[in-house]
Amino acid sequence: MDDGTIGGAGDPWREAELAGFLLPEQQARLHAHGWLTMLAPRAAGGAELPLPEVVRLEEEIAATDGSLGWVVTLCAGAGWFAGFLPPALARGIMATPGVCLAGSGAPTGFADIDGDDVVITGRWDYASGAPMATHFTLNAVLRERGEVLRDEQGKPRIRAFIVPARHVALEASWQAIGLRASASHAYRLDGARIPASHGFTIDAAHATADGPLYRFPFMALAYVTLAANLLGMARHFLALAGPLVAARRQHGSGVPLGEVPAVAARLALAREELAEHCTALYEVLDRAWDAVVRHTLADEAGLQRVSLQLVDTCRRTVDSLYPYCGLQAAREDAEINRVWRDFHTATQHALLLPD
């Protein structure tokens, strides 16, 4: 990792938030580190790093800045799909200057089969990193001659596709309170014709790249990478909260809040619980990765469970300490306020709903 000042002197993350996107120098640093291609196959030009290494790195990036971590995680995750594309297509995409894959998982469009092509029409929300994307991934309902194709259970058939950014129209729809620099805008395709070979299936049985990374279960990968982002942001919040709590004084007594036994105990408990659940996450992840390397099954249920437990702990940590941080934490231009807003925006991801 860097020293936390990727954008230069001052507070580049505040500047990125005000701009509503990662600044050009921040984007350049992402590409220089190769973070956006770290899950793509080596044979296609990616780094194909072991997943435990990637998840730990994503935690550290998110601890630097929430929007940065979110863009890296979501765009690197889309780059993982290169392991399920035809190899020649994957190599061509990864060779694109400044390659960045963004996208959305909701099947909110249609792909009409027309010979060897598909014609895609629809609108998709929440493509983090959209302004810097060279390609977009999407899920679409398959149709042929205007009729929705259905599987054996009668459900619409859904297929994933990757399309070059030239086919995409962005909509400036991202108005969230946090993760503002993630620029998670909507995008639209209006009858874009692409080769049917740009479709792919996200399943180990359909992987086109060798290696354990493409045998790892997709949903388990999604849970653990998102949880790592929340952990990084919660760590950042806790690091900023400590000095603010220490600087405040208890009303009436004038005793520093950090010396009030109940407050000191709350801070200590927050640190202990965060460390405990962080350790649990990585222990289960490391075992799951080792299992996949050995060609056995990963503990998907266990990874989902520890990921959601960690997210719940992060929520309690942030929310229990926020009231002790004073009005400084309520200032929109304060770093801790940005971290608080980023964190709570990230917790709204559909996979992270509490039980």
Side-chain angles (χ1 to χ4, degrees):
M1 277 294 295
D2 271 66
D3 60 1
T5 57
I6 288 175
D11 186 359
W13 308 115
R14 172 64 175 163
E15 295 174 20
E17 177 178 63
L18 292 174
F21 53 84
L22 295 179
L23 303 177
E25 57 268 33
Q26 294 164 344
Q27 296 181 31
R29 188 62 65 88
L30 292 184
H31 294 302
H33 279 294
W35 288 337
L36 301 183
T37 59
M38 60 186 172
L39 288 173
R42 278 190 295 273
E48 198 176 328
L49 297 181
L51 185 60
E53 180 180 340
V54 169
V55 175
R56 287 172 167 89
L57 176 59
E58 289 175 348
E59 178 198 339
E60 292 301 320
I61 296 170
T64 296
D65 178 74
S67 288
L68 178 72
W70 204 249
V71 168
V72 168
T73 298
L74 275 294
C75 294
W80 180 71
F81 298 151
F84 303 87
L85 295 172
L89 176 60
R91 287 194 297 271
I93 289 172
M94 288 299 141
T96 304
V99 64
C100 174
L101 279 63
S104 172
T108 53
F110 293 95
D112 291 288
I113 299 172
D114 186 9
D116 293 332
D117 296 336
V118 292
V119 179
I120 301 179
T121 301
R123 182 184 183 277
W124 290 263
D125 282 318
Y126 311 132
S128 299
M132 59 186 289
T134 59
H135 298 77
F136 287 79
T137 63
L138 57 91
N139 282 322
V141 177
L142 291 176
R143 293 192 301 200
E144 192 166 21
R145 300 185 186 90
E147 295 292 327
V148 171
L149 301 182
R150 298 184 181 276
D151 61 20
E152 294 81 0
Q153 288 76 42
K155 297 179 181 179
R157 287 177 55 192
I158 297 168
R159 188 155 174 76
F161 293 91
I162 185 165
V163 300
R166 66 177 180 273
H167 294 296
V168 171
L170 294 184
E171 295 184 2
S173 59
W174 185 240
Q175 300 294 330
I177 64 167
L179 297 179
R180 292 175 180 171
S182 73
S184 301
H185 297 303
Y187 60 103
R188 190 180 72 252
L189 280 80
D190 298 311
R193 179 178 291 273
I194 65 168
S197 60
H198 283 53
F200 59 98
T201 301
I202 308 166
D203 181 84
H206 295 272
T208 57
D210 295 327
L213 193 54
Y214 310 103
R215 298 195 301 270
F216 205 88
F218 171 56
M219 291 307 298
L221 182 147
Y223 274 110
V224 73
T225 54
L226 292 176
N229 270 259
L230 271 294
L231 173 59
M233 287 183 247
R235 282 179 45 215
H236 193 176
F237 181 88
L238 188 56
L240 296 170
L244 289 178
V245 173
R248 295 190 75 194
R249 294 185 177 273
Q250 187 180 47
H251 178 69
S253 71
V255 174
L257 274 184
E259 297 177 13
V260 175
V263 178
R266 190 180 294 270
L267 273 167
L269 180 62
R271 295 187 179 103
E272 290 169 8
E273 288 187 338
L274 213 57
E276 174 185 341
H277 285 276
C278 171
T279 298
L281 177 78
Y282 288 124
E283 286 179 349
V284 177
L285 172 60
D286 290 342
R287 287 199 301 269
W289 178 254
D290 288 342
V292 174
V293 168
R294 297 193 309 270
H295 291 267
T296 57
L297 296 178
D299 182 6
E300 293 186 63
L303 266 177
Q304 178 180 342
R305 184 182 65 255
V306 296
S307 295
L308 292 178
Q309 287 173 345
L310 174 60
V311 170
D312 181 63
T313 298
C314 290
R315 281 193 179 101
R316 286 188 286 104
T317 295
V318 171
D319 290 341
S320 68
L321 295 179
Y322 182 81
Y324 297 97
C325 296
L327 285 174
Q328 178 70 15
R331 288 178 53 114
E332 189 175 4
D333 60 345
E335 182 179 6
I336 192 170
N337 183 267
R338 184 177 68 247
V339 175
W340 184 88
R341 288 184 284 106
D342 289 346
F343 175 86
H344 281 287
T345 301
T347 63
Q348 298 307 300
H349 193 287
L351 288 186
L352 303 180
L353 290 173
D355 294 335

